[in-house]
Amino acid sequence: MCEEVNAKIATDISSSVDNFLFDCDGVLWNANEVIPGSLETVKGLKALGKRIFYVTNNSTKTRAEYAQKCVKLGFPATEDDIVCTSYISALYLHNMNFKGKIYVVGNPSIGAELDRFGLRHTGIGPDPPDEDQPAFQPVPGLDLDPEIKCVLVGFDKYISYPKIMKAASYARQEGNIFLATNEDSHLPMDVPYVVPGTGSIVTSVKVAARKEPVVMGKPQTNMFKCLQEAHNLDPSRCMMVGDRCNTDISMATNCGMRSLLVLTGVSTLADVGAYKASGDPTHATYVPTYYASRLGQLGKLLGLSIP
């Protein structure tokens, strides 16, 4: 499939889609700059009676913080409209009635969401290596806490050798839960260097632990299941709008939704062509239903006032 949106397709989308799930970075904004046409399209869809959700793999903000950012940039949002991986990770453990302690390779927003559910955790913050310690030696005096029964890995600007060692050691223990917020390779930022994503941190832990994590974010289905249960959503009446084929579009495919790829972020049409030609069944899930140069293209076709 993968057709460019046109007037006929836009009309069909308007009549057959009730719920729009938007990725944020690379779709609605880049860093703190709104992508032209995105704000007007989201507002226009909401004015047409569509339900708007913001679905992001970013774990560096709580739901409340993400809602605040949306509102600051002009997007209509409440906390209930936000699904982020810091929240989903905490909800996942809460729903399984987890009672142990969690070792977190992550950031304060993950900790805040865990705190909301009364989940005990440790590990957030700097844990630098001892400069006098010989390379590849165990952390001096490291005693594994027997209360820790889960490892949760997200984005952590303080990632260090001691953290990888501790996380891998806990994850490796039999019966312990190993979670990752997401495995995104890099952040879609318009800068002349690579900004490594959470996937680079997750990989360092899972390779050492020789164990695969349960991934909370896209392309896995946990995020949509959370929305589906909370709002009684019919996937056939939902559309995922994203910029990354192997996360946004793949989750849509895995959940039975239609998808729209916008070319303002990570993935390109050349990527889509390669996925279609590869014959790999996993790559087949990366192929969107539709594509547009930017979100505002859909807005214009819907007759909205787009700059």
Side-chain angles (χ1 to χ4, degrees), residues 211-238:
K211 184 176 181 179
E212 289 291 326
V214 176
V215 179
M216 296 289 101
K218 299 169 287 187
Q220 305 305 322
T221 60
N222 290 302
M223 301 187 87
F224 180 70
K225 285 179 178 177
C226 170
L227 276 180
Q228 188 175 27
E229 292 172 5
H231 301 282
N232 193 29
L233 301 183
D234 176 357
S236 71
R237 305 286 298 182
C238 297

mmCIF file of all heavy atoms in Angstrom, residues 211-238:
data_model
loop_
_atom_site.group_PDB
_atom_site.id
_atom_site.type_symbol
_atom_site.label_atom_id
_atom_site.label_comp_id
_atom_site.label_asym_id
_atom_site.label_seq_id
_atom_site.Cartn_x
_atom_site.Cartn_y
_atom_site.Cartn_z
ATOM 1 N N LYS A 211 19.845 -10.981 27.731
ATOM 2 C CA LYS A 211 18.413 -11.149 27.970
ATOM 3 C C LYS A 211 17.674 -10.019 27.268
ATOM 4 O O LYS A 211 18.113 -8.873 27.282
ATOM 5 C CB LYS A 211 18.145 -11.099 29.478
ATOM 6 C CG LYS A 211 16.711 -11.362 29.901
ATOM 7 C CD LYS A 211 16.635 -11.375 31.437
ATOM 8 C CE LYS A 211 15.227 -11.650 31.949
ATOM 9 N NZ LYS A 211 15.196 -11.683 33.446
ATOM 10 N N GLU A 212 16.540 -10.336 26.638
ATOM 11 C CA GLU A 212 15.746 -9.334 25.943
ATOM 12 C C GLU A 212 14.727 -8.705 26.899
ATOM 13 O O GLU A 212 14.067 -9.409 27.663
ATOM 14 C CB GLU A 212 15.014 -9.954 24.753
ATOM 15 C CG GLU A 212 15.922 -10.340 23.601
ATOM 16 C CD GLU A 212 16.520 -9.135 22.900
ATOM 17 O OE1 GLU A 212 15.841 -8.079 22.814
ATOM 18 O OE2 GLU A 212 17.678 -9.242 22.443
ATOM 19 N N PRO A 213 14.576 -7.391 26.838
ATOM 20 C CA PRO A 213 13.573 -6.744 27.696
ATOM 21 C C PRO A 213 12.175 -6.818 27.099
ATOM 22 O O PRO A 213 12.003 -7.035 25.893
ATOM 23 C CB PRO A 213 14.053 -5.288 27.727
ATOM 24 C CG PRO A 213 14.669 -5.093 26.374
ATOM 25 C CD PRO A 213 15.329 -6.421 26.030
ATOM 26 N N VAL A 214 11.181 -6.609 27.945
ATOM 27 C CA VAL A 214 9.818 -6.340 27.477
ATOM 28 C C VAL A 214 9.768 -4.847 27.181
ATOM 29 O O VAL A 214 10.009 -4.023 28.067
ATOM 30 C CB VAL A 214 8.771 -6.717 28.543
ATOM 31 C CG1 VAL A 214 7.375 -6.331 28.071
ATOM 32 C CG2 VAL A 214 8.852 -8.191 28.869
ATOM 33 N N VAL A 215 9.479 -4.487 25.935
ATOM 34 C CA VAL A 215 9.507 -3.081 25.518
ATOM 35 C C VAL A 215 8.116 -2.468 25.685
ATOM 36 O O VAL A 215 7.124 -2.998 25.185
ATOM 37 C CB VAL A 215 9.985 -2.952 24.060
ATOM 38 C CG1 VAL A 215 9.984 -1.487 23.628
ATOM 39 C CG2 VAL A 215 11.386 -3.546 23.910
ATOM 40 N N MET A 216 8.066 -1.356 26.396
ATOM 41 C CA MET A 216 6.798 -0.702 26.687
ATOM 42 C C MET A 216 6.295 0.147 25.532
ATOM 43 O O MET A 216 5.100 0.249 25.281
ATOM 44 C CB MET A 216 6.947 0.186 27.935
ATOM 45 C CG MET A 216 7.254 -0.574 29.208
ATOM 46 S SD MET A 216 5.814 -1.516 29.786
ATOM 47 C CE MET A 216 6.246 -3.150 29.216
ATOM 48 N N GLY A 217 7.204 0.820 24.827
ATOM 49 C CA GLY A 217 6.806 1.782 23.810
ATOM 50 C C GLY A 217 6.619 1.178 22.432
ATOM 51 O O GLY A 217 6.669 -0.038 22.234
ATOM 52 N N LYS A 218 6.377 2.064 21.462
ATOM 53 C CA LYS A 218 6.234 1.653 20.062
ATOM 54 C C LYS A 218 7.519 0.975 19.589
ATOM 55 O O LYS A 218 8.595 1.405 19.991
ATOM 56 C CB LYS A 218 5.955 2.900 19.209
ATOM 57 C CG LYS A 218 4.669 3.643 19.583
ATOM 58 C CD LYS A 218 4.573 5.000 18.902
ATOM 59 C CE LYS A 218 5.526 6.002 19.506
ATOM 60 N NZ LYS A 218 5.319 7.378 18.969
ATOM 61 N N PRO A 219 7.436 -0.098 18.793
ATOM 62 C CA PRO A 219 6.287 -0.594 18.040
ATOM 63 C C PRO A 219 5.445 -1.643 18.766
ATOM 64 O O PRO A 219 4.534 -2.205 18.162
ATOM 65 C CB PRO A 219 6.947 -1.243 16.822
ATOM 66 C CG PRO A 219 8.210 -1.823 17.377
ATOM 67 C CD PRO A 219 8.670 -0.807 18.398
ATOM 68 N N GLN A 220 5.745 -1.922 20.034
ATOM 69 C CA GLN A 220 4.952 -2.908 20.754
ATOM 70 C C GLN A 220 3.554 -2.348 21.019
ATOM 71 O O GLN A 220 3.296 -1.147 20.851
ATOM 72 C CB GLN A 220 5.656 -3.292 22.058
ATOM 73 C CG GLN A 220 7.091 -3.787 21.863
ATOM 74 C CD GLN A 220 7.181 -4.941 20.876
ATOM 75 O OE1 GLN A 220 6.307 -5.804 20.865
ATOM 76 N NE2 GLN A 220 8.218 -4.960 20.044
ATOM 77 N N THR A 221 2.658 -3.188 21.481
ATOM 78 C CA THR A 221 1.240 -2.814 21.533
ATOM 79 C C THR A 221 0.775 -2.266 22.885
ATOM 80 O O THR A 221 -0.389 -1.877 23.020
ATOM 81 C CB THR A 221 0.368 -4.034 21.186
ATOM 82 O OG1 THR A 221 0.626 -5.090 22.135
ATOM 83 C CG2 THR A 221 0.681 -4.546 19.783
ATOM 84 N N ASN A 222 1.668 -2.210 23.881
ATOM 85 C CA ASN A 222 1.240 -1.816 25.225
ATOM 86 C C ASN A 222 0.625 -0.421 25.268
ATOM 87 O O ASN A 222 -0.336 -0.174 25.998
ATOM 88 C CB ASN A 222 2.432 -1.878 26.189
ATOM 89 C CG ASN A 222 2.871 -3.296 26.465
ATOM 90 O OD1 ASN A 222 2.096 -4.106 26.936
ATOM 91 N ND2 ASN A 222 4.125 -3.606 26.160
ATOM 92 N N MET A 223 1.177 0.515 24.498
ATOM 93 C CA MET A 223 0.685 1.894 24.539
ATOM 94 C C MET A 223 -0.751 1.976 24.018
ATOM 95 O O MET A 223 -1.611 2.629 24.621
ATOM 96 C CB MET A 223 1.606 2.810 23.737
ATOM 97 C CG MET A 223 3.036 2.811 24.225
ATOM 98 S SD MET A 223 4.073 4.034 23.409
ATOM 99 C CE MET A 223 3.770 5.455 24.433
ATOM 100 N N PHE A 224 -0.995 1.324 22.890
ATOM 101 C CA PHE A 224 -2.352 1.377 22.344
ATOM 102 C C PHE A 224 -3.335 0.633 23.237
ATOM 103 O O PHE A 224 -4.473 1.085 23.428
ATOM 104 C CB PHE A 224 -2.397 0.803 20.929
ATOM 105 C CG PHE A 224 -3.785 0.852 20.345
ATOM 106 C CD1 PHE A 224 -4.357 2.063 19.990
ATOM 107 C CD2 PHE A 224 -4.532 -0.309 20.192
ATOM 108 C CE1 PHE A 224 -5.658 2.121 19.480
ATOM 109 C CE2 PHE A 224 -5.826 -0.259 19.676
ATOM 110 C CZ PHE A 224 -6.385 0.957 19.323
ATOM 111 N N LYS A 225 -2.912 -0.501 23.794
ATOM 112 C CA LYS A 225 -3.806 -1.251 24.678
ATOM 113 C C LYS A 225 -4.259 -0.395 25.859
ATOM 114 O O LYS A 225 -5.408 -0.469 26.298
ATOM 115 C CB LYS A 225 -3.117 -2.519 25.172
ATOM 116 C CG LYS A 225 -3.023 -3.621 24.117
ATOM 117 C CD LYS A 225 -2.311 -4.841 24.667
ATOM 118 C CE LYS A 225 -2.244 -5.962 23.633
ATOM 119 N NZ LYS A 225 -1.492 -7.129 24.133
ATOM 120 N N CYS A 226 -3.345 0.423 26.365
ATOM 121 C CA CYS A 226 -3.676 1.318 27.471
ATOM 122 C C CYS A 226 -4.776 2.284 27.054
ATOM 123 O O CYS A 226 -5.782 2.468 27.759
ATOM 124 C CB CYS A 226 -2.427 2.084 27.904
ATOM 125 S SG CYS A 226 -2.749 3.435 29.067
ATOM 126 N N LEU A 227 -4.633 2.914 25.887
ATOM 127 C CA LEU A 227 -5.643 3.834 25.383
ATOM 128 C C LEU A 227 -6.948 3.111 25.072
ATOM 129 O O LEU A 227 -8.038 3.605 25.367
ATOM 130 C CB LEU A 227 -5.139 4.515 24.112
ATOM 131 C CG LEU A 227 -4.259 5.742 24.262
ATOM 132 C CD1 LEU A 227 -3.855 6.263 22.896
ATOM 133 C CD2 LEU A 227 -4.965 6.830 25.052
ATOM 134 N N GLN A 228 -6.826 1.955 24.471
ATOM 135 C CA GLN A 228 -8.001 1.185 24.060
ATOM 136 C C GLN A 228 -8.873 0.843 25.263
ATOM 137 O O GLN A 228 -10.104 0.991 25.224
ATOM 138 C CB GLN A 228 -7.563 -0.083 23.335
ATOM 139 C CG GLN A 228 -8.684 -0.869 22.691
ATOM 140 C CD GLN A 228 -8.176 -2.046 21.892
ATOM 141 O OE1 GLN A 228 -7.107 -2.600 22.169
ATOM 142 N NE2 GLN A 228 -8.927 -2.445 20.877
ATOM 143 N N GLU A 229 -8.234 0.405 26.342
ATOM 144 C CA GLU A 229 -8.976 0.034 27.536
ATOM 145 C C GLU A 229 -9.576 1.260 28.226
ATOM 146 O O GLU A 229 -10.707 1.217 28.728
ATOM 147 C CB GLU A 229 -8.060 -0.724 28.495
ATOM 148 C CG GLU A 229 -7.652 -2.106 27.973
ATOM 149 C CD GLU A 229 -6.602 -2.774 28.836
ATOM 150 O OE1 GLU A 229 -6.261 -2.204 29.904
ATOM 151 O OE2 GLU A 229 -6.118 -3.852 28.448
ATOM 152 N N ALA A 230 -8.836 2.367 28.226
ATOM 153 C CA ALA A 230 -9.299 3.567 28.928
ATOM 154 C C ALA A 230 -10.430 4.269 28.189
ATOM 155 O O ALA A 230 -11.309 4.880 28.808
ATOM 156 C CB ALA A 230 -8.133 4.533 29.132
ATOM 157 N N HIS A 231 -10.440 4.174 26.845
ATOM 158 C CA HIS A 231 -11.386 4.961 26.064
ATOM 159 C C HIS A 231 -12.251 4.117 25.128
ATOM 160 O O HIS A 231 -12.956 4.667 24.281
ATOM 161 C CB HIS A 231 -10.632 6.010 25.248
ATOM 162 C CG HIS A 231 -9.818 6.950 26.091
ATOM 163 N ND1 HIS A 231 -10.378 7.995 26.790
ATOM 164 C CD2 HIS A 231 -8.482 6.977 26.373
ATOM 165 C CE1 HIS A 231 -9.429 8.645 27.445
ATOM 166 N NE2 HIS A 231 -8.278 8.050 27.215
ATOM 167 N N ASN A 232 -12.181 2.799 25.272
ATOM 168 C CA ASN A 232 -13.009 1.884 24.469
ATOM 169 C C ASN A 232 -12.849 2.155 22.971
ATOM 170 O O ASN A 232 -13.828 2.337 22.236
ATOM 171 C CB ASN A 232 -14.482 1.996 24.873
ATOM 172 C CG ASN A 232 -15.322 0.867 24.305
ATOM 173 O OD1 ASN A 232 -14.833 -0.247 24.083
ATOM 174 N ND2 ASN A 232 -16.588 1.143 24.052
ATOM 175 N N LEU A 233 -11.596 2.188 22.514
ATOM 176 C CA LEU A 233 -11.302 2.535 21.127
ATOM 177 C C LEU A 233 -11.441 1.330 20.201
ATOM 178 O O LEU A 233 -11.051 0.216 20.544
ATOM 179 C CB LEU A 233 -9.875 3.089 21.007
ATOM 180 C CG LEU A 233 -9.538 4.338 21.822
ATOM 181 C CD1 LEU A 233 -8.118 4.781 21.526
ATOM 182 C CD2 LEU A 233 -10.530 5.461 21.547
ATOM 183 N N ASP A 234 -11.976 1.585 19.027
ATOM 184 C CA ASP A 234 -12.035 0.592 17.956
ATOM 185 C C ASP A 234 -10.851 0.865 17.031
ATOM 186 O O ASP A 234 -10.798 1.932 16.406
ATOM 187 C CB ASP A 234 -13.358 0.749 17.196
ATOM 188 C CG ASP A 234 -13.473 -0.189 15.997
ATOM 189 O OD1 ASP A 234 -12.512 -0.928 15.707
ATOM 190 O OD2 ASP A 234 -14.535 -0.167 15.337
ATOM 191 N N PRO A 235 -9.872 -0.065 16.919
ATOM 192 C CA PRO A 235 -8.697 0.208 16.094
ATOM 193 C C PRO A 235 -9.025 0.544 14.651
ATOM 194 O O PRO A 235 -8.305 1.299 14.002
ATOM 195 C CB PRO A 235 -7.871 -1.082 16.187
ATOM 196 C CG PRO A 235 -8.604 -2.016 17.054
ATOM 197 C CD PRO A 235 -9.823 -1.355 17.597
ATOM 198 N N SER A 236 -10.133 0.015 14.134
ATOM 199 C CA SER A 236 -10.493 0.297 12.746
ATOM 200 C C SER A 236 -10.939 1.745 12.556
ATOM 201 O O SER A 236 -11.014 2.235 11.422
ATOM 202 C CB SER A 236 -11.596 -0.652 12.275
ATOM 203 O OG SER A 236 -12.830 -0.353 12.898
ATOM 204 N N ARG A 237 -11.226 2.446 13.662
ATOM 205 C CA ARG A 237 -11.621 3.848 13.602
ATOM 206 C C ARG A 237 -10.517 4.761 14.113
ATOM 207 O O ARG A 237 -10.767 5.922 14.452
ATOM 208 C CB ARG A 237 -12.899 4.080 14.419
ATOM 209 C CG ARG A 237 -14.083 3.210 14.060
ATOM 210 C CD ARG A 237 -14.736 3.622 12.772
ATOM 211 N NE ARG A 237 -15.294 4.982 12.806
ATOM 212 C CZ ARG A 237 -15.950 5.535 11.800
ATOM 213 N NH1 ARG A 237 -16.125 4.840 10.670
ATOM 214 N NH2 ARG A 237 -16.429 6.771 11.886
ATOM 215 N N CYS A 238 -9.293 4.216 14.181
ATOM 216 C CA CYS A 238 -8.137 4.963 14.681
ATOM 217 C C CYS A 238 -7.081 5.100 13.588
ATOM 218 O O CYS A 238 -6.943 4.228 12.732
ATOM 219 C CB CYS A 238 -7.497 4.259 15.880
ATOM 220 S SG CYS A 238 -8.564 4.124 17.334
#
